[in-house]
Amino acid sequence: MTVSFRVGRYLVALLWHWITPFLFGAAAAMSVTLVSLQTSVNAVGLHFQNAIANAIEQCAPSDPANAADAEQVKGRAPGSSDHASPIRRTEARAERTLERPPP
């Protein structure tokens, strides 16, 4: 199918007349999309902060006076495994198990 010179000129003129409204429409659509995306990201961040604040509130001790009297976990010296590698902690646990056979 061959396009005549007259039809080609018509298509170029049509494109020339519609390119400006198309570009304005594309720019407006892009700006609306970016604003709505920014709004949703801010809303998600706010909900995340509220969720974290609620979790912290629920995990806090009910009586702050008793929080200082926290009980040490039995069977573990304070700070004993804080700096040990996970392999050494596993080895120490295995040695304790072997020292005390199950009943």
Side-chain angles (χ1 to χ4, degrees):
M1 178 174 118
T2 61
V3 178
S4 68
F5 182 69
R6 184 181 234 174
V7 174
R9 283 183 64 191
Y10 172 74
L11 291 176
V12 168
L14 186 65
L15 180 66
W16 178 256
H17 287 290
W18 282 97
I19 193 72
T20 305
F22 174 76
L23 291 178
F24 282 135
M30 183 67 71
S31 64
V32 167
T33 302
L34 289 176
V35 167
S36 65
L37 182 65
Q38 181 182 11
T39 304
S40 358
V41 166
N42 288 340
V44 167
L46 183 63
H47 287 297
F48 181 72
Q49 285 178 344
N50 289 341
I52 294 296
N54 287 340
I56 290 172
E57 213 172 273
Q58 289 176 357
C59 292
S62 58
D63 187 13
N66 291 337
D69 302 333
E71 220 176 280
Q72 177 66 32
V73 176
K74 293 182 179 24
R76 178 176 175 259
S80 64
S81 62
D82 292 340
H83 301 290
S85 70
I87 295 172
R88 295 208 185 272
R89 282 188 251 158
T90 306
E91 289 174 355
R93 188 180 311 125
E95 288 174 3
R96 286 194 305 268
T97 304
L98 290 176
E99 289 171 1
R100 294 177 280 147

